[in-house]
Each structure stands twice: as structure tokens, then as C-alpha cells.
Amino acid sequence: NGATELASIAAFSSVSNQLLALGAPALFIEHAHRDALDEIRHARVCYEIASAFASSPTTPNGAGPLPAAVWPLDRKTTPANVAEECLIESCVLEGASARAAAMLAQRAEAEAIRSVLASIAVDEARHAEHGWETLEWLWPQLNAAERQTLTDALVQMKARQFAGVVDGCELERYGLAGTATWQGAVYDAIDEAHERLERLDVPLAAILSQSNAQPK
């Protein structure tokens, strides 16, 4: 779990640079940096818990090699590419992390672990919402084909198998997600993303028209 949180630090650092390159609103840049700081805290506390179980400290001296910290040189920073990364990494996977952490917070035996997981669940849900805010800003900049690519990416995700930290659920009492829990959380997040993408595709005029048609 600690290693996963470290990777998220790199991902949010990369996102902040990409958004700067695209001229995104300053608030989105701030959110990306704040989200990275959340992930630093998550990683630190996960390693502290791991160290409590281990015979020696497990906290790394450094983050180690994290390729996600930089945008791949063979991929251009375009609204379409950033939107796809935002959808998968923030909207779906951060949303899934929030779901999984909330479920595990109910199952963990130790109060300290339950408290940490509950806090992580709140943070990850906020990160996912930041992803949706960014995607809403990028949406008008995408053409029909690029928007369809995002939907296709969700379909491709739904066909994948997602492994948890462990295969079964025997370690969920320690806060480690089993495959069934993690896979279910990801699939639920994908389903929600499909619905939200469909709402983004509804023209504003149609929404206002429907609203005005409702009885007062």
C-alpha cells in the first residue's frame, strides 16, 4: 500500500506539470499539488503501520525509481491525452481507492488502521472529484472522436482483471484489499464514470430545457 501511495505522488506531480502546459485554471494546479501532499501523508502512515508489524523499519530512504513522475517523451501533452489519463488515473482509480478504503475501514480489526483507512477514503474521494473537475474543463476542447476514445477506454478497463494486494480476504482485517474487494471497487468506479461521461455529453441547452419543463 505504501508503494502504491508513492506512485500516486509521482502521478499527481506529473499531472500538475501537464495542466500548467495546457493553461489550466490555477485552482486545478493547486489541487494537484495538494493531492500529492495527501499521498505523501498516506505513504508515510502506511509504512509506519508496516513497520509496526515488521522486525525492522520498512520506510524507504527515498521514493525509488518512479517513471510516472514524468510525462512520457513519446506522448504529447494535448487535451485528449491529459483527459484520458485524468479519467483513468483520477476519476476511476482514485474513486476505486476511496471505495476500497471505506470498505476496509469497516473490516479492519485495529482501531488505528480503521482510522487511517477512513481518512484515506475521504482524501481519495476528493482526488477523484478533482479529476472530474479537470475533465469537465477539458471536455469542450475535445472533438467527438476524442470523447469516444474516453468511453472506449472505460470499456477496455471493464474487460480487465484487477488484482488486489492479496488473492483472498484473509488480510483485509489488517487493511489489505483482496482481489474481490479491489476488483469490485474498480468496476463500480467504471460504471459511475460511464454515467458521468454521458452527462458531460448532454448539451447545456438540453439540460436547461429539461429543467424548465419540470413542474414548479
Side-chain angles (χ1 to χ4, degrees):
N1 280 355
T4 299
E5 301 295 347
L6 279 178
S8 294
I9 299 169
F12 280 119
S13 297
S14 176
V15 164
S16 67
N17 287 334
Q18 295 166 49
L19 292 177
L20 277 169
L22 293 178
L27 181 61
F28 295 173
I29 312 302
E30 181 180 350
H31 284 166
H33 284 288
R34 289 185 181 277
D35 293 347
L37 290 173
D38 286 341
E39 303 295 7
I40 291 173
R41 178 166 44 82
H42 296 172
R44 181 177 292 118
V45 73
C46 284
Y47 280 114
E48 288 174 353
I49 292 173
S51 295
F53 286 101
S55 58
S56 60
T58 61
T59 305
N61 292 324
L66 293 170
V70 294
W71 188 238
L73 295 178
D74 60 348
R75 193 173 191 192
K76 296 180 179 179
T77 300
T78 65
N81 286 340
V82 176
E84 184 174 355
E85 184 186 20
C86 181
L87 174 65
I88 301 303
E89 299 297 333
S90 292
C91 302
V92 173
L93 293 180
E94 291 289 307
S97 294
R99 286 173 164 81
M103 287 187 284
L104 293 171
Q106 301 297 320
R107 302 171 187 172
E109 294 178 352
E111 173 58 31
I113 295 178
R114 290 199 299 271
S115 177
V116 165
L117 289 170
S119 176
I120 288 176
V122 172
D123 290 342
E124 303 288 39
R126 183 173 62 255
H127 300 171
E129 286 306 310
H130 289 165
W132 282 109
E133 290 174 1
T134 301
L135 192 58
E136 289 174 2
W137 174 72
L138 290 167
W139 193 254
Q141 305 175 51
L142 308 180
N143 60 39
E146 291 167 338
R147 294 179 181 183
Q148 183 60 47
T149 296
L150 297 184
T151 300
D152 294 342
L154 291 178
V155 173
Q156 293 167 7
M157 282 192 78
K158 198 63 179 286
R160 289 170 51 191
Q161 298 294 315
F162 293 88
V165 178
V166 291
D167 290 335
C169 61
E170 65 273 8
L171 294 183
E172 292 194 347
R173 60 197 177 108
Y174 299 114
L176 300 176
T179 292
T181 296
W182 176 240
Q183 187 165 288
V186 174
Y187 287 173
D188 287 346
I190 292 172
D191 289 339
E192 180 186 356
H194 268 296
E195 296 176 1
R196 294 185 71 159
L197 278 185
E198 289 176 357
R199 291 202 295 272
L200 286 179
D201 227 4
V202 176
L204 179 59
I207 296 176
L208 294 176
S209 175
Q210 184 179 16
S211 175
N212 291 334
Q214 296 298 321
K216 303 298 184 182

